[in-house]
Amino acid sequence: MGSMGIRSGLSELATVAGLVAETLRPEITEYATRALATIAGGNKLMFCGNGGSAADAQHLAAEYVVRLAWSRPALPALALTTDTSVLTACANDRGYDEVFARQVAALGRPGDLLVIHSTSGDSANLVKATAQARHRGMTIVGLLAGSGGQLKSLVDVAVLLPTERVSRAQEVHLAIGHIVCRYVEESLFGDVAELTEDALDSEGRLSD
């Protein structure tokens, strides 16, 4: 790969991230506030998405359960993208459109927060998960991109990235998820927890 391709790809990512920082601060703050209130209130976070967004959902759920940077108690979060028996049984018996909604019906409770990762905003399984979450009395955050699709009007908080490029949207969605998780960690445990040693490099900077 030529240096121009590397430079243009990273420059594009930086441009999207810069626009998000300038224009979406209120929405990201609202997401963080709701995530903190959910966990502080004894409820849980649930993440879902398709493809690369499924990987992001799993990644972020792990940060809450294990840790991001702070050594602290486990926090309640799960990804609806990881149980192959549930996913395949539901897809086989009820159709793929129900794979997330069925789990929300089984595990969702009033006060829980559903975080949807979607670059199109139109995936039927995510739309149905949103409807089921609404029925269960849950709050819904959508990490979206472009026009936001159907989900833009179905979620409580829409973090709508100004890009149509799937890869850039997923990269920034993950960055936003890390920012929110760090906020939750610091808010709940910052006065008593310590940064884990493996989250710092030799000069004391965050490396995770």
Side-chain angles (χ1 to χ4, degrees), residues 49-96:
N50 292 295
S53 294
D56 290 343
Q58 182 175 347
H59 182 150
L60 290 168
E63 305 287 26
Y64 286 90
V65 173
V66 184
R67 60 101 178 157
L68 179 59
W70 294 91
S71 179
R72 41 75 174 172
L75 298 175
L78 70 155
L80 305 181
T81 57
T82 58
D83 189 327
T84 55
S85 293
V86 169
L87 292 170
T88 55
C90 187
N92 188 62
D93 297 346
R94 303 178 64 88
Y96 188 70

Short mmCIF file of all heavy atoms in Angstrom, two decimals, residues 49-96:
data_model
loop_
_atom_site.label_atom_id
_atom_site.label_comp_id
_atom_site.label_asym_id
_atom_site.label_seq_id
_atom_site.Cartn_x
_atom_site.Cartn_y
_atom_site.Cartn_z
N GLY A 49 -25.56 -5.51 17.32
CA GLY A 49 -25.23 -4.99 16.00
C GLY A 49 -24.95 -6.14 15.07
O GLY A 49 -24.89 -7.30 15.50
N ASN A 50 -24.75 -5.87 13.81
CA ASN A 50 -24.48 -6.90 12.80
C ASN A 50 -23.08 -6.72 12.22
O ASN A 50 -22.59 -5.60 12.08
CB ASN A 50 -25.51 -6.82 11.67
CG ASN A 50 -26.90 -7.20 12.11
OD1 ASN A 50 -27.17 -8.33 12.48
ND2 ASN A 50 -27.81 -6.22 12.10
N GLY A 51 -22.45 -7.83 11.85
CA GLY A 51 -21.15 -7.76 11.20
C GLY A 51 -20.10 -7.14 12.09
O GLY A 51 -19.90 -7.52 13.24
N GLY A 52 -19.39 -6.12 11.55
CA GLY A 52 -18.39 -5.43 12.34
C GLY A 52 -18.99 -4.78 13.58
O GLY A 52 -18.33 -4.68 14.62
N SER A 53 -20.22 -4.35 13.47
CA SER A 53 -20.90 -3.75 14.63
C SER A 53 -21.19 -4.79 15.70
O SER A 53 -21.27 -4.46 16.88
CB SER A 53 -22.20 -3.08 14.18
OG SER A 53 -21.93 -1.98 13.34
N ALA A 54 -21.35 -6.05 15.30
CA ALA A 54 -21.49 -7.13 16.28
C ALA A 54 -20.21 -7.29 17.08
O ALA A 54 -20.23 -7.50 18.30
CB ALA A 54 -21.85 -8.44 15.58
N ALA A 55 -19.07 -7.18 16.38
CA ALA A 55 -17.79 -7.25 17.07
C ALA A 55 -17.62 -6.09 18.04
O ALA A 55 -17.11 -6.26 19.15
CB ALA A 55 -16.66 -7.27 16.05
N ASP A 56 -18.06 -4.91 17.64
CA ASP A 56 -17.99 -3.75 18.53
C ASP A 56 -18.87 -3.95 19.76
O ASP A 56 -18.50 -3.57 20.88
CB ASP A 56 -18.42 -2.49 17.79
CG ASP A 56 -17.41 -2.05 16.74
OD1 ASP A 56 -16.26 -2.51 16.80
OD2 ASP A 56 -17.78 -1.24 15.86
N ALA A 57 -20.05 -4.52 19.56
CA ALA A 57 -20.95 -4.78 20.69
C ALA A 57 -20.28 -5.71 21.69
O ALA A 57 -20.32 -5.48 22.92
CB ALA A 57 -22.25 -5.40 20.17
N GLN A 58 -19.68 -6.78 21.20
CA GLN A 58 -19.00 -7.73 22.08
C GLN A 58 -17.81 -7.07 22.78
O GLN A 58 -17.59 -7.27 23.97
CB GLN A 58 -18.52 -8.93 21.26
CG GLN A 58 -17.84 -10.02 22.08
CD GLN A 58 -17.51 -11.23 21.23
OE1 GLN A 58 -18.00 -11.36 20.11
NE2 GLN A 58 -16.68 -12.10 21.76
N HIS A 59 -17.05 -6.29 22.03
CA HIS A 59 -15.88 -5.59 22.56
C HIS A 59 -16.28 -4.69 23.74
O HIS A 59 -15.66 -4.74 24.81
CB HIS A 59 -15.26 -4.77 21.43
CG HIS A 59 -14.02 -4.02 21.78
ND1 HIS A 59 -13.04 -3.76 20.86
CD2 HIS A 59 -13.60 -3.45 22.94
CE1 HIS A 59 -12.07 -3.07 21.43
NE2 HIS A 59 -12.39 -2.86 22.69
N LEU A 60 -17.32 -3.90 23.54
CA LEU A 60 -17.69 -2.94 24.57
C LEU A 60 -18.32 -3.60 25.79
O LEU A 60 -18.08 -3.18 26.92
CB LEU A 60 -18.62 -1.88 23.97
CG LEU A 60 -17.89 -0.95 23.00
CD1 LEU A 60 -18.88 -0.11 22.21
CD2 LEU A 60 -16.90 -0.06 23.75
N ALA A 61 -19.11 -4.64 25.59
CA ALA A 61 -19.65 -5.35 26.74
C ALA A 61 -18.51 -5.89 27.61
O ALA A 61 -18.57 -5.84 28.85
CB ALA A 61 -20.55 -6.49 26.28
N ALA A 62 -17.46 -6.38 26.96
CA ALA A 62 -16.32 -6.91 27.71
C ALA A 62 -15.63 -5.82 28.52
O ALA A 62 -15.15 -6.09 29.64
CB ALA A 62 -15.32 -7.54 26.74
N GLU A 63 -15.58 -4.61 28.01
CA GLU A 63 -14.93 -3.52 28.75
C GLU A 63 -15.65 -3.25 30.07
O GLU A 63 -15.00 -2.95 31.08
CB GLU A 63 -14.91 -2.24 27.91
CG GLU A 63 -14.29 -2.35 26.53
CD GLU A 63 -12.77 -2.47 26.54
OE1 GLU A 63 -12.20 -2.96 27.54
OE2 GLU A 63 -12.17 -2.10 25.52
N TYR A 64 -16.96 -3.35 30.07
CA TYR A 64 -17.71 -3.12 31.31
C TYR A 64 -17.55 -4.30 32.27
O TYR A 64 -17.35 -4.09 33.47
CB TYR A 64 -19.19 -2.90 31.00
CG TYR A 64 -19.49 -1.55 30.39
CD1 TYR A 64 -19.46 -1.36 29.01
CD2 TYR A 64 -19.78 -0.46 31.20
CE1 TYR A 64 -19.71 -0.11 28.46
CE2 TYR A 64 -20.04 0.79 30.66
CZ TYR A 64 -20.01 0.96 29.28
OH TYR A 64 -20.24 2.20 28.73
N VAL A 65 -17.65 -5.50 31.77
CA VAL A 65 -17.59 -6.68 32.64
C VAL A 65 -16.19 -6.85 33.24
O VAL A 65 -16.05 -7.16 34.42
CB VAL A 65 -18.00 -7.94 31.87
CG1 VAL A 65 -17.77 -9.20 32.71
CG2 VAL A 65 -19.47 -7.86 31.46
N VAL A 66 -15.17 -6.62 32.44
CA VAL A 66 -13.79 -6.83 32.91
C VAL A 66 -13.20 -5.51 33.40
O VAL A 66 -13.08 -5.28 34.60
CB VAL A 66 -12.93 -7.46 31.81
CG1 VAL A 66 -11.53 -7.76 32.34
CG2 VAL A 66 -13.57 -8.76 31.31
N ARG A 67 -12.84 -4.65 32.49
CA ARG A 67 -12.40 -3.29 32.81
C ARG A 67 -11.95 -2.64 31.53
O ARG A 67 -11.60 -3.30 30.55
CB ARG A 67 -11.27 -3.28 33.83
CG ARG A 67 -10.00 -4.03 33.40
CD ARG A 67 -8.93 -3.09 32.91
NE ARG A 67 -7.71 -3.80 32.54
CZ ARG A 67 -6.81 -3.31 31.71
NH1 ARG A 67 -7.01 -2.14 31.14
NH2 ARG A 67 -5.72 -3.99 31.41
N LEU A 68 -11.92 -1.29 31.52
CA LEU A 68 -11.31 -0.54 30.44
C LEU A 68 -9.92 -0.11 30.89
O LEU A 68 -8.92 -0.60 30.41
CB LEU A 68 -12.16 0.65 30.04
CG LEU A 68 -11.60 1.54 28.92
CD1 LEU A 68 -11.39 0.73 27.65
CD2 LEU A 68 -12.50 2.72 28.65
N ALA A 69 -9.87 0.78 31.89
CA ALA A 69 -8.58 1.23 32.40
C ALA A 69 -8.50 1.17 33.91
O ALA A 69 -7.42 1.05 34.47
CB ALA A 69 -8.30 2.66 31.92
N TRP A 70 -9.64 1.25 34.57
CA TRP A 70 -9.64 1.29 36.03
C TRP A 70 -9.79 -0.11 36.61
O TRP A 70 -10.57 -0.92 36.14
CB TRP A 70 -10.80 2.16 36.53
CG TRP A 70 -10.65 3.60 36.19
CD1 TRP A 70 -11.11 4.23 35.08
CD2 TRP A 70 -9.98 4.59 36.95
NE1 TRP A 70 -10.77 5.56 35.10
CE2 TRP A 70 -10.08 5.81 36.23
CE3 TRP A 70 -9.30 4.58 38.17
CZ2 TRP A 70 -9.52 7.00 36.71
CZ3 TRP A 70 -8.75 5.77 38.63
CH2 TRP A 70 -8.87 6.96 37.91
N SER A 71 -9.02 -0.37 37.66
CA SER A 71 -9.20 -1.61 38.42
C SER A 71 -10.39 -1.39 39.35
O SER A 71 -10.32 -0.61 40.29
CB SER A 71 -7.93 -1.91 39.23
OG SER A 71 -8.10 -3.08 39.99
N ARG A 72 -11.49 -2.10 39.07
CA ARG A 72 -12.74 -1.82 39.79
C ARG A 72 -13.66 -3.03 39.71
O ARG A 72 -13.39 -3.99 38.98
CB ARG A 72 -13.42 -0.57 39.23
CG ARG A 72 -13.42 -0.43 37.69
CD ARG A 72 -14.39 -1.34 37.00
NE ARG A 72 -14.49 -1.11 35.56
CZ ARG A 72 -15.17 -1.89 34.75
NH1 ARG A 72 -15.81 -2.96 35.21
NH2 ARG A 72 -15.21 -1.64 33.44
N PRO A 73 -14.77 -3.03 40.45
CA PRO A 73 -15.71 -4.16 40.38
C PRO A 73 -16.30 -4.31 38.98
O PRO A 73 -16.33 -3.36 38.19
CB PRO A 73 -16.80 -3.76 41.39
CG PRO A 73 -16.13 -2.82 42.34
CD PRO A 73 -15.15 -2.06 41.50
N ALA A 74 -16.75 -5.52 38.68
CA ALA A 74 -17.39 -5.79 37.39
C ALA A 74 -18.68 -5.00 37.26
O ALA A 74 -19.40 -4.78 38.24
CB ALA A 74 -17.68 -7.28 37.27
N LEU A 75 -18.98 -4.59 36.04
CA LEU A 75 -20.21 -3.86 35.75
C LEU A 75 -21.09 -4.70 34.82
O LEU A 75 -20.59 -5.41 33.95
CB LEU A 75 -19.88 -2.51 35.10
CG LEU A 75 -19.05 -1.56 35.97
CD1 LEU A 75 -18.69 -0.30 35.19
CD2 LEU A 75 -19.78 -1.21 37.25
N PRO A 76 -22.42 -4.62 35.00
CA PRO A 76 -23.34 -5.51 34.28
C PRO A 76 -23.58 -5.07 32.83
O PRO A 76 -24.20 -4.04 32.58
CB PRO A 76 -24.63 -5.43 35.11
CG PRO A 76 -24.58 -4.06 35.74
CD PRO A 76 -23.13 -3.78 35.99
N ALA A 77 -23.06 -5.88 31.92
CA ALA A 77 -23.25 -5.61 30.49
C ALA A 77 -23.16 -6.92 29.74
O ALA A 77 -22.44 -7.83 30.14
CB ALA A 77 -22.19 -4.63 29.99
N LEU A 78 -23.89 -7.02 28.63
CA LEU A 78 -23.79 -8.21 27.81
C LEU A 78 -24.03 -7.85 26.34
O LEU A 78 -24.75 -6.90 26.04
CB LEU A 78 -24.77 -9.29 28.24
CG LEU A 78 -26.25 -9.08 28.00
CD1 LEU A 78 -26.97 -10.42 27.92
CD2 LEU A 78 -26.88 -8.26 29.14
N ALA A 79 -23.39 -8.63 25.47
CA ALA A 79 -23.61 -8.50 24.03
C ALA A 79 -24.60 -9.56 23.58
O ALA A 79 -24.49 -10.73 23.98
CB ALA A 79 -22.28 -8.66 23.29
N LEU A 80 -25.55 -9.18 22.77
CA LEU A 80 -26.56 -10.11 22.26
C LEU A 80 -26.10 -10.79 20.98
O LEU A 80 -26.91 -11.39 20.28
CB LEU A 80 -27.87 -9.35 22.01
CG LEU A 80 -28.42 -8.56 23.20
CD1 LEU A 80 -29.73 -7.88 22.81
CD2 LEU A 80 -28.60 -9.43 24.42
N THR A 81 -24.82 -10.74 20.72
CA THR A 81 -24.26 -11.23 19.46
C THR A 81 -23.38 -12.47 19.64
O THR A 81 -22.77 -12.93 18.68
CB THR A 81 -23.39 -10.14 18.83
OG1 THR A 81 -22.37 -9.74 19.78
CG2 THR A 81 -24.23 -8.93 18.48
N THR A 82 -23.31 -13.02 20.85
CA THR A 82 -22.25 -13.98 21.15
C THR A 82 -22.70 -15.41 21.41
O THR A 82 -21.88 -16.32 21.36
CB THR A 82 -21.46 -13.50 22.39
OG1 THR A 82 -22.36 -13.37 23.50
CG2 THR A 82 -20.81 -12.16 22.12
N ASP A 83 -23.96 -15.64 21.73
CA ASP A 83 -24.43 -16.98 22.07
C ASP A 83 -24.88 -17.69 20.79
O ASP A 83 -25.99 -17.48 20.31
CB ASP A 83 -25.57 -16.90 23.08
CG ASP A 83 -25.97 -18.24 23.66
OD1 ASP A 83 -25.86 -19.26 22.93
OD2 ASP A 83 -26.39 -18.29 24.83
N THR A 84 -24.02 -18.53 20.25
CA THR A 84 -24.33 -19.14 18.95
C THR A 84 -25.53 -20.07 19.01
O THR A 84 -26.27 -20.18 18.03
CB THR A 84 -23.12 -19.92 18.42
OG1 THR A 84 -22.68 -20.87 19.41
CG2 THR A 84 -21.97 -18.98 18.10
N SER A 85 -25.76 -20.71 20.15
CA SER A 85 -26.92 -21.60 20.25
C SER A 85 -28.22 -20.80 20.20
O SER A 85 -29.17 -21.17 19.50
CB SER A 85 -26.85 -22.41 21.54
OG SER A 85 -25.77 -23.32 21.51
N VAL A 86 -28.26 -19.70 20.94
CA VAL A 86 -29.45 -18.85 20.91
C VAL A 86 -29.64 -18.23 19.53
O VAL A 86 -30.75 -18.24 18.98
CB VAL A 86 -29.34 -17.74 21.99
CG1 VAL A 86 -30.43 -16.69 21.78
CG2 VAL A 86 -29.45 -18.33 23.38
N LEU A 87 -28.57 -17.71 18.96
CA LEU A 87 -28.67 -17.05 17.66
C LEU A 87 -29.14 -18.01 16.57
O LEU A 87 -30.04 -17.69 15.78
CB LEU A 87 -27.32 -16.45 17.27
CG LEU A 87 -26.84 -15.26 18.11
CD1 LEU A 87 -25.39 -14.93 17.77
CD2 LEU A 87 -27.73 -14.04 17.90
N THR A 88 -28.54 -19.21 16.52
CA THR A 88 -28.90 -20.14 15.47
C THR A 88 -30.26 -20.78 15.69
O THR A 88 -31.01 -21.02 14.74
CB THR A 88 -27.82 -21.23 15.30
OG1 THR A 88 -27.59 -21.88 16.57
CG2 THR A 88 -26.51 -20.63 14.82
N ALA A 89 -30.60 -21.04 16.95
CA ALA A 89 -31.92 -21.60 17.23
C ALA A 89 -33.01 -20.60 16.86
O ALA A 89 -34.02 -20.96 16.22
CB ALA A 89 -32.05 -21.99 18.69
N CYS A 90 -32.80 -19.34 17.23
CA CYS A 90 -33.80 -18.32 16.92
C CYS A 90 -33.89 -18.09 15.42
O CYS A 90 -34.99 -17.99 14.86
CB CYS A 90 -33.46 -17.02 17.65
SG CYS A 90 -34.75 -15.77 17.51
N ALA A 91 -32.75 -18.01 14.75
CA ALA A 91 -32.76 -17.81 13.30
C ALA A 91 -33.45 -18.96 12.59
O ALA A 91 -34.19 -18.76 11.62
CB ALA A 91 -31.33 -17.65 12.79
N ASN A 92 -33.22 -20.18 13.07
CA ASN A 92 -33.80 -21.36 12.45
C ASN A 92 -35.30 -21.46 12.71
O ASN A 92 -36.08 -21.79 11.81
CB ASN A 92 -33.10 -22.61 12.98
CG ASN A 92 -33.53 -23.87 12.25
OD1 ASN A 92 -33.32 -23.99 11.05
ND2 ASN A 92 -34.12 -24.80 12.97
N ASP A 93 -35.71 -21.19 13.94
CA ASP A 93 -37.10 -21.40 14.34
C ASP A 93 -38.00 -20.19 14.14
O ASP A 93 -39.19 -20.33 13.88
CB ASP A 93 -37.17 -21.82 15.81
CG ASP A 93 -36.49 -23.15 16.07
OD1 ASP A 93 -36.21 -23.87 15.09
OD2 ASP A 93 -36.24 -23.47 17.25
N ARG A 94 -37.44 -18.98 14.28
CA ARG A 94 -38.25 -17.78 14.26
C ARG A 94 -37.83 -16.78 13.19
O ARG A 94 -38.56 -15.81 12.94
CB ARG A 94 -38.21 -17.10 15.63
CG ARG A 94 -38.66 -17.98 16.78
CD ARG A 94 -38.56 -17.25 18.13
NE ARG A 94 -39.45 -16.11 18.18
CZ ARG A 94 -40.72 -16.16 18.59
NH1 ARG A 94 -41.25 -17.33 18.96
NH2 ARG A 94 -41.46 -15.09 18.62
N GLY A 95 -36.67 -17.00 12.57
CA GLY A 95 -36.18 -16.08 11.56
C GLY A 95 -35.10 -15.16 12.11
O GLY A 95 -35.11 -14.80 13.29
N TYR A 96 -34.17 -14.77 11.23
CA TYR A 96 -33.04 -13.96 11.67
C TYR A 96 -33.47 -12.59 12.19
O TYR A 96 -32.79 -11.99 13.03
CB TYR A 96 -32.03 -13.79 10.53
CG TYR A 96 -30.75 -13.15 10.97
CD1 TYR A 96 -29.85 -13.82 11.79
CD2 TYR A 96 -30.44 -11.84 10.57
CE1 TYR A 96 -28.67 -13.23 12.21
CE2 TYR A 96 -29.26 -11.23 10.99
CZ TYR A 96 -28.38 -11.93 11.80
OH TYR A 96 -27.22 -11.32 12.22
#
